[in-house]
């Protein structure tokens, strides 16, 4: 097979080249911005604003719009810098955490700066115009002193190296960093002892520790042609397998789901389906949404990208027997779980399919309240345009990506909605990820 010709516009690779640079502001994605003496932009990981560092290029070539780099030597450290508690953090190591080297309070400030920058650049909004005080709130129990790491991640995806060792991917790489313990893994994951086992023949292992029950689950993805091992872990666990032929998740033994709790209700989450990863996240976000929407008895509500029905269940409780809730979700198993979880509500309906396809087909022309919790890419212009035509009294937008949120808020403004309030939550400590809840209302409504 003939190799593809190189891009004639591309210059020589600069990978390995080192620059002494002053570090500028934080940017979306877990890095900060610097410039070489020639003016080329560097996205530098493992550093903090205001530092002077030696940055080594990890991706990019001459003439590229930007280069990616790691700070390999800190010449002038920030007062917010700490020694990374995790032995696997640092240049060329595990890519799971972005801010192990920053004090917890500094991490939240950096995330706040990213949110503010995205709102301004993509939505033309200041924090004041978004009804946001600029703070990123830690989850209950996560406010720890520098050097301590909250154990919050209830779902961990391990990769397996050529020797059968479980580990985590290096940043922007398929290479595996073998580990003995992940510091941000929840206790329920760590106690399974995944890292101490031989996983030869497996491509990956996902470990799940429910916070609403003692349910534990591992989902194994074998390499092509490999046989499933006998799984003997340190705690009782159900085992699922990802099939090579169809990519489906099938039960090997134990329950095919885990049970989670939120808002006083138990939710079944099957086959590795979506549930918030932080133990406090589901309750935190549910309360923020309900406090923003203020549902009334008899309201009609939409829960879009509804997953297993977290927000639909909370809405159904509050709108009562005279109200109605429609949930839309694309995942077949999640829809089955949502219907099971909400079977006690006669006036809740769950439809399967993509929101942009299903919503127009429902014939719904108005709704009192709308919740949307889209995937990382956001809802998009077409869906937002449809939603603004339904005349909702309030809309709650739950976002795991501030750039997608800001873009969609701009579309909502074009459709006649303004942001009434925005709250940000640090539900992914040590990483650059952050959750936001924006509450919108018709622009003509008085504050």
């Amino acid at each position: 097979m003939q190799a593809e010709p190189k891009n004639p516009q591309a210059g020589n690779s600069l990978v390995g080249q080192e620059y002494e640079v002053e570090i500028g502001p934080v940017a979306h994605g877990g890095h900060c911005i610097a410039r070489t003496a020639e003016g080329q932009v560097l996205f530098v990981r493992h550093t903090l604003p205001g530092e002077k560092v030696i940055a080594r290029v990890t991706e990019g070539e001459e003439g590229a719009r930007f280069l990616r780099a790691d700070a390999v030597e800190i010449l002038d450290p920030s007062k917010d810098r700490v020694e990374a508690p995790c032995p696997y953090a640092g240049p060329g190591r595990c890519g799971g955490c972005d801010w192990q080297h920053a004090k917890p309070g500094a991490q939240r400030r950096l995330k706040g700066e990213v949110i503010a920058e995205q709102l301004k650049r993509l939505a033309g909004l200041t924090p004041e115009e978004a009804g946001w005080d600029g703070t990123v709130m830690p989850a209950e129990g996560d406010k720890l002193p520098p050097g301590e790491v909250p154990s919050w991640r209830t779902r961990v995806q391990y990769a397996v190296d050529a020797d059968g060792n479980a580990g985590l991917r290096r940043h922007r790489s398929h290479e595996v960093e073998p580990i003995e313990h992940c510091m941000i893994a929840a206790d329920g994951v760590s106690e399974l002892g995944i890292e101490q086992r031989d996983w030869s023949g497996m491509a990956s292992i996902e470990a799940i520790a429910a916070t609403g029950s003692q349910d534990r689950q591992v989902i194994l993805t074998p390499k092509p042609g490999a046989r499933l091992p006998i799984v003997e872990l340190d705690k009782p666990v159900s085992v699922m397998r990802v099939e090579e032929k169809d990519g489906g998740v099938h039960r090997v033994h134990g329950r095919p789901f885990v049970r989670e709790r939120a808002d006083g209700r138990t939710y079944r989450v099957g086959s590795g389906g979506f549930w918030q990863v932080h133990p406090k996240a589901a309750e935190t976000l549910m309360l923020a949404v309900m406090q923003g929407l203020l549902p009334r008895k008899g309201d009609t509500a939409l829960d879009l990208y509804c997953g297993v029905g977290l927000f639909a269940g909370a809405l159904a409780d509050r709108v009562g027997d005279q109200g109605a809730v429609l949930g839309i979700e694309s995942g077949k198993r999640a829809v089955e779980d949502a219907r099971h979880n909400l079977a006690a509500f006669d006036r809740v309906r769950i439809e399967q399919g993509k929101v942009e396809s299903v919503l127009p087909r429902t014939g719904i022309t108005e709704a009192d309240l709308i919740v949307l919790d889209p995937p990382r890419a956001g809802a998009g212009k077409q869906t937002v345009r449809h939603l603004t035509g339904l005349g909702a009294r309030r809309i709650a937008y739950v976002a795991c990506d501030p750039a997608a949120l800001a873009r969609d808020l701009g579309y909502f403004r074009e459709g006649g909605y303004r942001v009434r309030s925005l709250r940000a939550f640090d539900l992914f400590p040590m990483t650059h990820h952050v959750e936001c809840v924006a509450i919108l209302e018709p622009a003509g409504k008085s504050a």
Side-chain angles (χ1 to χ4, degrees):
M1 189 178 194
Q2 189 173 1
E4 290 187 17
K6 286 184 69 176
N7 179 356
Q9 303 300 318
N12 295 323
S13 171
L14 292 175
V15 172
Q17 178 74 38
E18 293 185 354
Y19 299 93
E20 181 178 318
V21 292
E22 300 272 357
I23 300 299
V26 66
H28 184 29
H31 47 248
C32 297
I33 297 174
R35 289 183 182 273
T36 67
E38 297 75 31
Q40 196 164 20
V41 173
L42 287 171
F43 289 157
V44 190
R45 282 173 58 82
H46 311 292
T47 188
L48 294 168
E51 293 187 325
K52 182 185 288 185
V53 307
I54 302 296
R56 181 182 298 153
V57 176
T58 56
E59 291 181 43
E61 60 279 323
E62 292 175 350
R65 195 161 56 88
F66 62 85
L67 307 173
R68 296 185 184 274
D70 285 340
V72 294
E73 186 179 348
I74 311 302
L75 304 176
D76 186 9
S78 164
K79 62 180 177 54
D80 289 325
R81 176 174 285 276
V82 295
E83 189 73 29
C86 177
Y88 308 107
R93 305 297 300 277
C94 174
C97 291
D98 308 290
W99 300 120
Q100 287 268 352
H101 59 283
K103 293 178 181 177
Q107 294 182 35
R108 292 190 289 273
R109 288 198 303 275
L110 292 169
K111 295 182 186 191
E113 289 170 17
V114 168
I115 295 169
E117 190 270 337
Q118 297 295 308
L119 287 173
K120 188 66 177 174
R121 186 168 65 88
L122 297 174
L125 292 171
T126 65
E128 293 75 21
E129 289 168 333
W132 176 46
D133 64 5
T135 62
V136 177
M137 297 297 297
E140 180 187 341
D142 279 358
K143 205 164 185 179
L144 299 173
E148 292 189 30
V149 176
S151 303
W152 59 269
R153 193 169 188 94
T154 60
R155 294 169 178 238
V156 178
Q157 182 84 38
Y158 296 92
V160 180
D161 70 10
D163 297 321
N165 300 307
L168 300 170
R169 299 281 185 195
R170 292 173 181 149
H171 182 61
R172 294 175 62 82
S173 170
H174 291 294
E175 293 182 7
V176 179
E177 178 79 22
I179 63 170
E180 293 182 5
H181 173 63
C182 175
M183 294 186 77
I184 65 171
D187 292 344
V189 169
S190 296
E191 68 186 16
L192 294 176
I194 299 285
E195 300 95 334
Q196 280 70 55
R197 299 294 188 276
D198 181 352
W199 296 100
S200 297
M202 296 300 102
S204 66
I205 309 110
E206 183 178 8
I208 300 169
T211 53
S213 65
Q214 291 299 308
D215 295 346
R216 304 288 181 264
Q217 187 178 83
V218 294
I219 301 174
L220 303 179
T221 303
K223 292 176 181 175
R227 297 183 62 182
L228 212 63
I230 296 173
V231 179
E232 294 180 346
L233 295 172
D234 295 346
K235 294 288 180 180
V237 64
S238 63
V239 178
M240 309 289 286
R241 173 194 176 116
V242 178
E243 292 293 342
E244 184 180 341
K245 292 181 181 178
D246 60 6
V249 182
H250 301 278
R251 184 176 74 90
V252 177
H253 69 75
R255 284 195 187 97
F257 58 84
V258 296
R259 294 163 297 176
E260 300 283 4
R261 291 281 294 175
D263 197 31
R265 182 173 301 282
T266 297
Y267 288 85
R268 186 182 81 181
V269 186
S271 303
F274 177 78
W275 186 262
Q276 290 288 340
V277 177
H278 193 290
K280 304 288 185 183
E283 193 79 16
T284 298
L285 296 174
M286 181 280 301
L287 285 173
V289 167
M290 294 304 121
Q291 289 165 358
L293 291 181
L294 298 175
R296 303 169 186 166
K297 297 295 184 185
D299 276 341
T300 57
L302 301 178
D303 180 8
L304 309 180
Y305 318 93
C306 71
V308 300
L310 171 65
F311 299 120
L315 286 165
D317 265 336
R318 290 158 176 81
V319 302
D321 294 340
Q322 300 306 307
V325 180
L326 170 67
I328 301 177
E329 164 59 38
S330 61
K332 181 180 178 182
R333 180 56 198 260
V335 167
E336 292 172 2
D337 286 337
R339 288 171 177 165
H340 169 86
N341 295 333
L342 305 176
F345 297 106
D346 293 335
R347 292 179 58 78
V348 173
R349 190 168 99 245
I350 308 294
E351 296 287 346
Q352 185 192 346
K354 293 185 176 181
V355 168
E356 61 269 27
S357 302
V358 174
L359 188 55
R361 293 204 305 264
T362 63
I364 292 173
T365 57
E366 58 184 10
D368 296 307
L369 302 172
I370 299 171
V371 183
L372 62 158
D373 185 4
R376 194 166 298 282
K381 193 168 189 175
Q382 176 187 341
T383 297
V384 171
R385 183 178 294 161
H386 190 121
L387 297 181
T388 58
L390 299 179
R393 183 174 74 247
R394 285 194 181 176
I395 299 173
Y397 189 128
V398 182
C400 61
D401 185 273
L405 170 66
R407 278 193 299 269
D408 284 347
L409 291 183
Y411 300 145
F412 273 109
R413 184 171 58 188
E414 291 172 8
Y417 276 74
R418 70 179 185 92
V419 186
R420 177 186 175 88
S421 67
L422 187 145
R423 297 170 70 184
F425 302 96
D426 188 16
L427 300 177
F428 306 90
M430 302 291 154
T431 79
H432 74 272
H433 300 291
V434 61
E435 286 277 350
C436 295
V437 176
I439 304 298
L440 300 104
E441 64 183 10
K445 188 173 180 180
S446 58

